[in-house]
Amino acid sequence: QVQLVESGGGLVQPGGSLRLSCTASRSILSIYPMGWYRQAPGKQRELVASITSGGVTNYADSVKGRFTISRDNAKNTVYLQMNSLKPEDTAVYYCNLEGFEVELGSWGQGTQVTVSS
């Protein structure tokens, strides 16, 4: 299975920005849609943003206009630029193959994002 490693999380004040990175162990990920997910305390994991192999993006309503997903296939890396962060964005953020999360992808440890004043 593809190994995925997330990084870039941390503690940030409301209104601040973070850039998350996800690097895969295999270049084959470039042919699959990729997604960023998050899980807040006491809540189910949700899909925040996704991007197809052709670069078509989709976002959850809660993050539209604030988050931007992108990918660099040459680097086997997917990014999530997070601007205008709000306390409700606090969660553990994961990346995975969208639609093949278990079959071909894997859930790693994620990266913690905490938005607090």
Side-chain angles (χ1 to χ4, degrees), residues 15-69:
S17 298
L18 286 173
R19 182 176 172 85
L20 307 184
S21 298
C22 170
T23 300
S25 61
R26 297 173 59 189
S27 61
I28 194 174
L29 77 78
S30 64
I31 71 174
Y32 294 98
M34 296 295 297
W36 280 98
Y37 307 75
R38 68 185 181 188
Q39 186 167 26
K43 295 186 177 181
Q44 294 288 330
R45 182 164 50 217
E46 64 173 338
L47 179 65
V48 174
S50 64
I51 183 168
T52 71
S53 61
V56 178
T57 60
N58 282 288
Y59 300 92
D61 288 341
S62 59
V63 306
K64 284 183 178 178
R66 300 189 297 120
F67 291 9
T68 302
I69 187 172

Side-chain angles (χ1 to χ4, degrees), residues 65-94:
R66 300 189 297 120
F67 291 9
T68 302
I69 187 172
S70 61
R71 65 193 301 165
D72 186 337
N73 291 337
K75 296 181 178 180
N76 298 324
T77 300
V78 182
Y79 305 95
L80 185 67
Q81 179 66 47
M82 310 166 67
N83 299 326
S84 302
L85 284 163
K86 303 175 180 180
E88 50 262 46
D89 295 319
T90 296
V92 178
Y93 284 71
Y94 306 86

